[in-house]
């Protein structure tokens, strides 16, 4: 959807998300390829992350990132271009592949993400 702020209710959700992302220490993106055509989301992420001086990592879960082909390279490039150079070095594209050593087809999926939450939550949640 090009215009993601069609109604006051939706607009308030986007404003809340913007505020949360501006103060997040870690951002986890699950199952979103950041297509070039989604200009709004690129702008939104840039404006949310740009002023965030506390951001440590951006973790991206997507099966494409574990394929090692041209689509993998393109997706990584889109994410790197979306964020400033200071943040692009903090993007983790292949989070904990060892959590599925025998099930390569599950790497980067929602199942991989939830398994990591169950088995190694410190990797994602960064306990103080």
């Amino acid at each position: 959807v090009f215009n993601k702020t069609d109604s006051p209710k939706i607009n308030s959700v986007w404003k809340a998300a913007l505020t949360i992302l501006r103060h997040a220490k870690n951002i986890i993106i699950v199952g979103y390829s950041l297509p070039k055509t989604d200009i709004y989301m690129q702008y939104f992420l840039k404006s949310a992350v740009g002023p965030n001086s506390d951001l440590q990592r951006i973790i991206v879960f997507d099966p494409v990132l574990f394929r090692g082909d041209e689509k993998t390279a393109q997706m990584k490039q889109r994410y790197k271009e979306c964020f400033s150079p200071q943040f692009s070095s903090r993007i983790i594209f292949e989070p904990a592949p060892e959590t599925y050593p025998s099930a390569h087809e599950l790497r980067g999926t929602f199942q991989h993400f939830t398994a990591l939450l169950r088995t190694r939550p410190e990797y994602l949640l960064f306990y103080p």
Side-chain angles (χ1 to χ4, degrees):
V1 177
F2 179 73
N3 186 359
K4 294 179 173 41
T5 59
D6 256 352
S7 74
K9 286 183 181 180
I10 292 175
N11 196 25
S12 66
V13 171
W14 283 108
K15 284 183 180 181
L18 184 68
T19 300
I20 290 167
L21 289 174
R22 284 189 173 161
H23 300 286
K25 289 184 180 179
N26 302 287
I27 298 172
I28 302 170
I29 300 169
V30 181
Y32 183 67
S33 65
L34 192 65
K36 285 185 176 185
T37 55
D38 196 346
I39 305 296
Y40 182 86
M41 185 55 74
Q42 292 175 34
Y43 172 77
F44 176 80
L45 289 172
K46 286 178 185 182
S47 62
V49 171
N52 185 339
S53 60
D54 294 327
L55 185 64
Q56 296 174 5
R57 293 203 259 185
I58 301 168
I59 301 172
V60 183
F61 277 86
D62 195 283
V64 169
L65 295 171
F66 288 84
R67 292 181 2 190
D69 60 11
E70 183 61 28
K71 289 190 180 210
T72 301
Q74 291 171 356
M75 188 172 171
K76 286 181 178 182
Q77 189 62 34
R78 284 194 304 273
Y79 269 98
K80 287 179 181 178
E81 289 173 355
C82 182
F83 300 105
S84 68
Q86 71 186 35
F87 292 121
S88 65
S89 63
R90 299 177 196 177
I91 302 172
I92 298 171
F93 291 111
E94 296 179 11
E98 69 278 0
T99 58
Y100 274 104
S102 62
H104 185 74
E105 70 277 0
L106 294 177
R107 293 179 183 168
T109 64
F110 184 72
Q111 291 86 352
H112 180 188
F113 172 70
T114 57
L116 192 55
L117 278 174
R118 281 191 314 274
T119 61
R120 294 187 50 208
E122 69 281 358
Y123 183 85
L124 298 173
L125 305 177
F126 308 100
Y127 294 116

